[in-house]
Amino acid sequence: MAKATEIEENNDFEMGNPYYCKECKRNHTKGKIYKEHLNFAKFENGDDENNLDENIKLNNDDYDDEVELIEAFNENDNQENKIEVENQLEDDLDLDREVDPNIGESLKECINAVKKLPGVGEATLNKLIKAGFSSLESIAFTPPKIIQEESGLGEKTTEKLIKSSMEQLHIGFKSAEDVWEHRKNIARITTGSQELDDSLGGGVETGSVIEFFGEFRTGKTQIMHQLCVNVQLSEENGGLEGNALYIDTEGTFRPERIIQMAEGLDMDHKKVLKNIIFGRAYNSDHQILLIKEAANLIKERNIKLIVVDSLIGHFRSEYIGRGTLANRQQTINSHLHDLLRLCDIYSDLAVVVTNQVQAKPDVFYGNPLQAAGGNIVAHGSTIRVYLRKGKGEQRIAKIVDAPHLPEADAIFSITENGISD
Ligand code: GTP
Ligand code: MG
């Protein structure tokens, strides 16, 4: 396997290959990034914003241990030690071990589903789990080449595994009845503003990718924060009693803001923070990888909301110049389809993304601003909300291109306690 640093120089990063992380100044490989970057936000009130990175720490000892183990494994070229570490890793994969009871139960459930796939014996199961494929979703989603490389399984076996995982998850053709069943499961998360909820037909709906786009400071990030809190509310209060996964590409996630919002709703802010799984994406490849790995976490961690803030930022800054446009659009398209596929599988999962606007120079009448990313994003997301500034705290939202939703403007405010009317 080539060294990640070499890969960076050669500039031919491929999914599943070692990935050199500039922030950590070390290599990551598939299945391991999460343990390091996808930390729980653990933050005490009144902490300095500059200490954010230090304060967002893993609060799950289990994962801490795993990181250490993997680090040792990566850094150790000595064969004897390697075997020792490998054995320890195997012990750690003991399905009956004591882990956080909540995580343990759902992880076991996921692994059991993999175990039941035709042709999966003890050896195959071990290889899969060790390579980080502990759920049907992760197998169905990952390109076969990566599964083969990571797990050491053969081409035929991998093909069969993917096919039967997809069947189990009902990916592919389905009857209208199944589609109806899926639609019936759609639920909604309140935004905190009645008016905005009404314009969305009752709140942010699950089973769709919803895009909030607008100029800077129009409240996109604030809405994302609020949804992460609100998704945890009980159903009668407008939530889904679920957890949130926050992919931050701009470094604007603020736990202290979450605390304010949670307190505004009389919720225990410690619990609220613990239920938001946070991942900082440092570049577009990293962002794509995080979403691919998210497939593994949704069931395990009862995730009901995925936030990507912002969807296009990295792509915009990395693919510069006309010549790269086709390539960029193709990559964004495939990234969006990863998100859409998650919604297809989990009817009780909402995916919300933000998008910047860019000036469209050839528009002389009407609004010259349009969402970045062009048609691809427009066609990929199911519901699009355009945000603009009003007076003071007020913001105005308009639903774009959704024939089943009202055209009227919704006015909401960004207050100390978060989003409200
Ligand atoms: P970009 O990411 O720069 O494109 O902007 P954005 O659309 O994500 O804006 P964001 O959600 O960060 O909104 C910023 C606005 O929210 C600020 O202009 C403030 O008006 C408001 N805001 C942010 N934090 C607070 C807060 O703690 N209290 C109050 N009252 N308002 C806040
Ligand atoms: Mg923002």
Side-chain angles (χ1 to χ4, degrees):
M1 217 187 245
K3 276 204 195 105
T5 38
E6 285 167 18
I7 281 168
E8 197 205 14
E9 277 158 26
N10 296 343
N11 218 4
D12 60 351
F13 173 86
E14 252 187 68
M15 294 293 285
N17 279 353
Y19 157 83
Y20 183 74
C21 176
K22 285 181 189 156
E23 301 294 323
C24 303
K25 300 198 174 48
R26 53 194 289 279
N27 298 349
H28 296 301
T29 45
K30 198 215 150 286
K32 286 150 202 169
I33 289 183
Y34 257 103
K35 279 92 188 182
E36 294 163 24
H37 289 307
L38 203 58
N39 302 337
F40 290 114
K42 191 182 178 190
F43 208 77
E44 291 305 322
N45 213 346
D47 276 328
D48 182 359
E49 204 176 281
N50 298 328
N51 288 333
L52 191 69
D53 283 346
E54 271 171 41
N55 279 300
I56 298 179
K57 288 233 174 76
L58 289 167
N59 69 352
N60 188 326
D61 293 342
D62 222 43
Y63 273 49
D64 261 345
D65 293 347
E66 217 166 319
V67 172
E68 263 170 37
L69 212 56
I70 286 159
E71 268 171 11
F73 190 71
N74 282 344
E75 279 154 20
N76 226 320
D77 283 334
N78 180 317
Q79 202 52 33
E80 254 174 51
N81 280 338
K82 207 163 191 168
I83 290 166
E84 206 173 280
V85 173
E86 219 164 24
N87 288 339
Q88 210 182 330
L89 202 58
E90 238 159 47
D91 288 347
D92 269 31
L93 291 174
D94 174 8
L95 303 191
D96 296 321
R97 76 191 152 129
E98 285 269 331
V99 270
D100 178 328
N102 293 326
I103 299 169
E105 270 316 301
S106 38
L107 180 63
K108 255 193 227 172
E109 218 174 88
C110 291
I111 293 175
N112 272 332
V114 176
K115 208 170 169 180
K116 284 189 195 135
L117 287 175
V120 173
E122 200 71 19
T124 310
L125 184 69
N126 270 337
K127 281 183 186 170
L128 284 169
I129 296 174
K130 222 154 119 186
F133 302 107
S134 48
S135 67
L136 295 178
E137 289 80 3
S138 61
I139 297 170
F141 272 155
T142 314
K145 207 174 128 219
I146 295 178
I147 300 185
Q148 278 173 48
E149 279 172 11
E150 296 282 325
S151 66
L153 291 169
E155 192 181 331
K156 283 253 160 67
T157 315
T158 309
E159 220 171 84
K160 261 194 222 154
L161 284 173
I162 294 178
K163 195 162 168 260
S164 32
S165 295
M166 287 176 105
E167 276 166 14
Q168 298 278 322
L169 293 168
H170 306 291
I171 303 175
F173 285 116
K174 44 184 153 187
S175 69
E177 199 186 356
D178 288 339
V179 178
W180 174 231
E181 219 26 72
H182 188 83
R183 289 289 308 171
K184 272 203 300 204
N185 286 332
I186 283 175
R188 289 169 196 282
I189 309 167
T190 177
T191 58
S193 151
Q194 186 66 47
E195 229 178 271
L196 184 54
D197 283 356
D198 289 346
S199 74
L200 286 163
V204 163
E205 68 177 44
T206 61
S208 310
V209 174
I210 297 166
E211 175 192 351
F212 285 86
F213 70 104
E215 278 185 275
F216 65 98
R217 293 171 84 85
T218 46
K220 302 182 291 291
T221 300
Q222 294 300 310
I223 294 175
M224 299 305 112
H225 279 63
Q226 187 73 58
L227 289 170
C228 287
V229 177
N230 292 3
V231 70
Q232 302 183 36
L233 289 166
S234 64
E235 283 177 26
E236 58 265 33
N237 287 322
L240 301 175
E241 282 166 44
N243 300 336
L245 178 74
Y246 198 109
I247 312 271
D248 181 10
T249 74
E250 305 187 318
T252 50
F253 179 72
R254 292 289 174 269
E256 55 272 49
R257 191 64 179 130
I258 297 284
I259 293 172
Q260 275 181 332
M261 290 172 169
E263 283 174 351
L265 287 166
D266 281 332
M267 294 163 87
D268 173 359
H269 71 252
K270 281 204 172 141
K271 250 195 209 155
V272 172
L273 284 176
K274 204 172 166 186
N275 291 337
I276 300 172
I277 301 178
F278 173 78
R280 173 86 161 93
Y282 294 107
N283 57 43
S284 64
D285 289 322
H286 198 174
Q287 182 179 334
I288 290 168
L289 214 60
L290 287 174
I291 286 298
K292 290 210 187 279
E293 294 196 3
N296 236 337
L297 290 169
I298 294 170
K299 251 209 180 133
E300 276 177 28
R301 299 287 177 98
N302 188 31
I303 307 268
K304 297 281 172 77
L305 170 75
I306 294 184
V307 165
V308 185
D309 183 24
S310 77
L311 183 72
I312 307 292
H314 282 315
F315 295 92
R316 255 178 128 186
S317 58
E318 287 167 27
Y319 293 80
I320 297 164
R322 288 250 152 201
T324 62
L325 195 64
N327 203 346
R328 179 182 95 169
Q329 293 306 84
Q330 205 180 345
T331 318
I332 294 175
N333 187 29
S334 118
H335 183 45
L336 249 171
H337 275 89
D338 286 343
L339 291 168
L340 283 163
R341 221 169 9 215
L342 290 178
C343 294
D344 252 359
I345 297 180
Y346 301 102
S347 52
D348 59 350
L349 173 77
V351 175
V352 185
V353 304
T354 68
N355 198 355
Q356 298 142 329
V357 287
Q358 60 189 12
K360 197 175 161 198
D362 51 355
V363 170
F364 295 105
Y365 302 102
N367 190 341
L369 295 169
Q370 68 166 29
N375 284 337
I376 300 260
V377 179
H379 295 150
S381 46
T382 353
I383 298 171
R384 317 184 72 213
V385 185
Y386 174 55
L387 298 175
R388 59 183 206 273
K389 273 181 249 182
K391 272 189 215 141
E393 303 183 319
Q394 283 191 343
R395 298 291 184 274
I396 301 148
K398 192 183 187 67
I399 314 296
V400 186
D401 303 331
H404 63 297
L405 293 171
E407 273 254 329
D409 286 343
I411 299 172
F412 64 95
S413 309
I414 309 173
T415 71
E416 218 47 49
N417 285 339
I419 307 294
S420 70
D421 273 318

